[in-house]
Amino acid sequence: MSDTPFGFGLPPEEPEDGDKGKKGGQGGPGNPFGFGPGGLPGGADNPFAAMFGSMNPNDLGAAFQQLGQMLSYEGGPVNWDMAKDIARQTVAQGTADGVKDASVGVAEKSAVEEAVRLADLWLDGVTSLPSGANAAVAWSRAEWVEATLPVWKELVDPVAERVGAAMGSVLPEEMQAMAGPLLGMMRSMGGAMFGQQIGQAVGVLAGEVVGSTDIGLPLGPAGRAALLPLNIESFGKDLGVPSDEVRLYLALREAAHARLFAHVPWLRSHLFGAVEGYARGIKVDTSKLEDVVGQLDPSNPEQLQEALQGGMFQPQDTPEQKAALARLETALALVEGWVDAVVHEAAKPRLASADAMRETMRRRRASGGPAEQTFATLIGLELRPRRLRDASRLWASLTDARGVDGRDGLWEHPDMLPTASDLDDPDGFVHREHLDFSEIDKMLGEAAEKRDQGEGEEKK
């Protein structure tokens, strides 16, 4: 698990070309979202010094307005208006390689639609699940932010709400009454800091994802297979693979995810339920809180920021959290493994680059790519690449042993899916389950024979 889920670190400054012309900065490679020590320009640890210290006097009004919005926020656990603004501003700033976002042209839209159409045609022969994409769309980075924020809200709110509730519940009632103004300010700042961190993370991720399912979850609207032409171009730039093959391979992955989430109705709630289970297990280190809270001065925001930065409310690992994350990790590995297996089966006979593209995607996962890093930052989940490879091998073995229908039939109910221990021994699962199904068939046959015999005797 991530050391600091949600971080509670220092908020980033606004990008240079944001809506109000605010000064911007990004974190370094070790701190991609600009939080924590050194996350601000010049390695500043104090967000207010960074915000005001080197600022042009003409920008002070805008900066104080931002601070006022932060302290006066009274909404839910996350300031999503702030998250959206920062994500859009981060996208407008462009990626580290200098590539700016751009509207999608007619030719690019047509190419994406054709790639998804062909991908669905190829997938028809390798899976019993029908198409899950009613439409194929080509998004800019900004459009990806707009389309996926509702799902990020669904994912993140339970965790942020639980952290916020834990912050207040650990104080004795008499202290809560005395610290009312402080807690109110902390809730406002907490919602703003969550919003800043999530907005920055989603904005950075928008510059690197190639579709709506890069993290193995359905982030986009149901029934839409979405690709980002600008990011696909950057992704395939140094691969030595024709651009149309790169686009088609990624369309296969997007369309395969769409089939799974469209025709396995329990899957989405299963995954999101594991996130909520993680949130329910969050506990706060009350001893650390008691040591610090009495020393806080509500009139000194810098001191409060330093306490937050030091992990004052950092959630502790609990057995409930670990169990929920294990369930989520296994389910995501099975999703990604199935997609990897069926896409390879569809692409291998038709694309010369199939093996190379498959290995590229696997290495992207193994290197802790942007999707995994962002997801780990937001909810504390880290995908283990070994699980993905084992899951892919298991699905391939199931295809050989039972055929396409037998393999895909396991998605009918979560209890039929392999467990984490089964991923350690994929061949054992295939062999054991095959014997179990045969035994069940035998038992059903014997029961039918006895029933028929009984009916025959009654007629006599």
Side-chain angles (χ1 to χ4, degrees):
M1 214 174 85
S2 171
D3 291 337
T4 55
F6 287 106
F8 277 111
L10 308 181
E13 293 179 290
E14 301 290 356
E16 290 182 355
D17 54 356
D19 294 340
K20 298 182 180 180
K22 300 168 188 173
K23 184 177 178 181
Q26 289 183 328
N31 187 4
F33 306 128
F35 290 86
L40 297 169
D45 292 340
N46 185 323
F48 298 98
M51 185 181 294
F52 303 132
S54 59
M55 184 171 290
N56 187 307
N58 294 330
D59 295 331
L60 283 175
F64 277 114
Q65 182 180 8
Q66 180 189 359
L67 180 59
Q69 291 172 349
M70 178 185 294
L71 295 176
S72 63
Y73 174 70
E74 296 180 352
V78 178
N79 188 331
W80 286 103
D81 290 337
M82 179 177 288
K84 179 179 177 180
D85 289 345
I86 291 177
R88 290 294 301 263
Q89 291 164 9
T90 302
V91 165
Q93 187 178 16
T95 50
D97 58 3
V99 178
K100 299 281 188 178
D101 193 22
S103 299
V104 179
V106 175
E108 291 173 318
K109 291 180 180 178
S110 177
V112 166
E113 291 172 356
E114 176 61 21
V116 172
R117 185 197 66 78
L118 185 56
D120 256 339
L121 183 63
W122 289 3
L123 289 172
D124 283 340
V126 296
T127 174
S128 61
L129 299 180
S131 174
N134 300 323
V137 294
W139 285 339
S140 66
R141 294 166 180 171
E143 287 172 327
W144 182 90
V145 168
E146 294 281 351
T148 62
L149 269 180
V151 180
W152 286 116
K153 185 177 188 297
E154 189 175 352
L155 279 169
V156 172
D157 266 352
V159 183
E161 185 173 358
R162 180 58 184 148
V163 170
M167 287 163 53
S169 64
V170 296
L171 293 177
E173 291 186 7
E174 59 274 14
M175 185 177 291
Q176 289 186 29
M178 295 174 59
L182 172 62
L183 290 176
M185 183 176 69
M186 282 168 26
R187 280 193 294 267
S188 296
M189 293 190 69
M193 286 187 291
F194 277 133
Q196 287 180 318
Q197 183 170 355
I198 293 165
Q200 183 78 357
V202 171
V204 171
L205 186 56
E208 301 183 0
V209 294
V210 295
S212 68
T213 56
D214 279 33
I215 66 172
L217 289 172
L219 294 180
R224 292 187 183 182
L227 295 176
L228 282 71
L230 182 61
N231 292 355
I232 290 175
E233 181 181 354
S234 298
F235 172 81
K237 183 171 56 177
D238 299 322
L239 296 181
V241 177
S243 59
D244 57 340
E245 288 194 20
V246 174
R247 184 191 308 111
L248 182 52
Y249 189 88
L250 296 177
L252 281 166
R253 289 183 53 83
E254 182 76 5
H257 278 103
R259 289 180 181 231
L260 202 55
F261 286 110
H263 300 293
V264 183
W266 56 264
L267 182 56
R268 189 181 190 277
S269 60
H270 180 74
L271 294 169
F272 283 58
V275 177
E276 293 180 2
Y278 165 81
R280 287 194 299 270
I282 289 177
K283 298 186 185 302
V284 171
D285 186 347
T286 57
S287 61
K288 191 170 187 177
L289 176 62
E290 292 171 356
D291 290 340
V292 176
V293 72
Q295 305 175 22
L296 292 180
D297 179 1
S299 66
N300 187 349
E302 296 183 18
Q303 184 185 22
L304 177 59
Q305 284 283 345
E306 291 170 0
L308 292 171
Q309 175 192 337
M312 175 179 172
F313 303 119
Q314 180 178 329
Q316 297 175 301
D317 287 345
T318 65
E320 295 84 359
Q321 284 177 289
K322 292 178 180 178
L325 288 178
R327 290 195 302 271
L328 182 57
E329 185 178 66
T330 299
L332 286 175
L334 290 173
V335 168
E336 289 300 283
W338 183 87
V339 168
D340 178 79
V342 299
V343 166
H344 187 69
E345 189 176 352
K348 177 69 173 175
R350 300 177 175 94
L351 294 180
S353 61
D355 288 334
M357 289 296 302
R358 184 188 206 187
E359 190 59 29
T360 296
M361 295 305 297
R362 285 182 165 185
R363 288 181 179 179
R364 194 176 190 230
R365 290 287 191 182
S367 63
E372 287 78 6
Q373 291 175 1
T374 298
F375 206 43
T377 300
L378 295 183
I379 69 166
L381 173 70
E382 293 180 357
L383 290 175
R384 289 176 293 175
R386 180 177 64 84
R387 300 286 83 184
L388 168 58
R389 290 181 181 269
D390 288 345
S392 180
R393 187 160 66 92
L394 184 146
W395 290 118
S397 297
L398 283 169
T399 306
D400 294 338
R402 304 186 197 168
V404 168
D405 291 342
R407 177 201 66 200
D408 293 347
L410 291 178
W411 289 106
E412 291 181 3
H413 193 277
D415 291 344
M416 298 175 66
L417 288 178
T419 63
S421 59
D422 292 325
L423 293 180
D424 293 325
D425 183 19
D427 294 333
F429 172 82
V430 173
H431 181 66
R432 183 178 67 254
E433 289 295 305
H434 183 68
L435 289 179
D436 289 345
F437 281 124
S438 298
E439 188 65 25
I440 291 173
D441 290 341
K442 181 181 177 182
M443 293 171 60
L444 291 175
E446 291 175 351
E449 289 179 4
K450 291 180 180 179
R451 185 185 66 247
D452 292 343
Q453 291 175 358
E455 291 175 353
E457 292 178 358
E458 290 177 0
K459 291 180 180 179
K460 293 179 181 180

